[in-house]
Amino acid sequence: MQDIILGLLIPLFGTVLGSAFVFFMRKEMSASLQKALLGFASGVMVAASIWSLIIPSMEMWDDAGKARIIPAVTGFLIGIAFLLFIDFITPHLHLGSNTPEGPKSHLSRTAMLTFAVTIHNLPEGMAVGVVLAGAMQASTDITMAGALAMAVGIAIQNIPEGAIISMPMREAGNSKLKSFVIGSLSGVVEPIGAVLVILLAGIIEPALPYLLSFAAGAMFYVVVEELIPEASEGEHSNLSTIGFAVGFALMMTLDVVAG
């Protein structure tokens, strides 16, 4: 049980740590640094989706031969569709943009930025939760060490994400403390999402392969819809590519060594 609690809280700690940067950084984050960090986060999420989610999803159906692709493809597409739906019905504002997305609303800029980050963080929490659920079941090859490695990888990429969230909140006119609190609270959705997935996997054990690929699809949606476009526009896009390579290599190493 200690390992489960630790796995749930590690990613949140990464977000809180990153959000605390608002107390130490006097100026706004440079565009080049932000691009590198967005690329890094993208690399971590893509690597985690492949090694920690999609491959284990197929391995759980190894006896089915070529049909083992069914849960991986099905869950992946449903995960994409789910985030697309959430994105469509939720009024939100992406970092660096002045054009709100989703239904029209009278929410403040801060509230819409918070909703955008919440949409972003939900798949990460689900991914950690489903891997922890897999480690709890003897019928899978997912180890608790591998699940904790996944949590650590998400936490590492949450550190720069926390800073990327809290700094614009400060620039929008909020106090340092409020910016820190908003940035930190954006990570609370991760353990909540993780717990919900763990409970669902415990009730419907055969759904685990689908839940693994579902979380992968949801994370891919965030990467393709938000992170990569933000990291690639304008100058210094090569920094985002370097960041992606570093994040991908780090998460792949963590998963293979610990798993």
Side-chain angles (χ1 to χ4, degrees):
M1 181 56 90
Q2 266 187 331
D3 288 339
I4 300 298
I5 295 174
L6 188 62
L8 293 172
L9 294 181
I10 286 175
L12 176 59
F13 176 73
T15 301
V16 172
L17 182 60
S19 297
F21 283 17
V22 74
F23 293 115
F24 309 106
M25 298 176 69
R26 294 184 178 181
K27 299 180 180 180
E28 65 182 31
M29 187 178 295
S30 67
S32 56
L33 177 58
Q34 187 164 329
K35 287 181 183 297
L37 295 179
L38 285 169
F40 177 84
S42 301
V44 169
M45 292 176 73
V46 169
S49 296
I50 295 171
W51 267 269
S52 298
L53 299 170
I54 294 176
I55 291 177
S57 172
M58 290 189 289
E59 287 177 344
M60 291 183 69
W61 268 47
D62 262 349
D63 294 340
K66 293 182 179 180
R68 68 183 182 277
I69 196 68
I70 292 175
V73 171
T74 303
F76 182 85
L77 293 177
I78 294 175
I80 293 280
F82 175 73
L83 259 291
L84 181 62
F85 174 71
I86 295 296
D87 202 43
F88 180 75
I89 66 171
T90 307
H92 60 282
L93 181 66
H94 291 295
L95 296 173
S97 173
N98 293 315
T99 306
E101 296 184 9
K104 292 183 179 180
S105 74
H106 298 289
L107 294 173
S108 67
R109 176 181 174 84
T110 298
M112 287 193 288
L113 280 169
T114 304
F115 275 129
V117 174
T118 300
I119 294 171
H120 179 149
N121 285 342
L122 179 61
E124 297 172 13
M126 294 167 62
V128 172
V130 74
V131 174
L132 287 170
M136 293 166 62
Q137 297 183 13
S139 58
T140 73
D141 293 327
I142 301 173
T143 64
M144 185 57 69
L148 291 177
M150 169 77 161
V152 169
I154 295 296
I156 291 172
Q157 66 101 25
N158 276 352
I159 294 174
E161 276 190 3
I164 289 172
I165 295 162
S166 62
M167 294 301 292
M169 293 294 180
R170 174 61 173 158
E171 293 166 30
N174 298 294
S175 68
K176 288 186 177 182
L177 179 60
K178 185 176 181 180
S179 300
F180 166 72
V181 171
I182 293 173
S184 299
L185 288 178
S186 71
V188 173
V189 71
E190 292 190 19
I192 293 174
V195 169
L196 292 176
V197 171
I198 290 173
L199 294 175
L200 181 60
I203 296 170
I204 315 173
E205 184 174 342
L208 185 57
Y210 294 91
L211 290 173
L212 285 163
S213 55
F214 174 90
M219 289 217 292
F220 259 92
Y221 178 87
V222 170
V223 171
V224 175
E225 162 70 12
E226 182 179 343
L227 299 186
I228 289 180
E230 289 179 9
S232 299
E233 64 181 7
E235 299 179 354
H236 309 300
S237 59
N238 57 326
L239 292 175
S240 67
T241 304
I242 295 170
F244 181 94
V246 173
F248 188 95
L250 175 63
M251 187 65 234
M252 178 173 59
T253 302
L254 279 173
D255 186 81
V256 173
V257 171

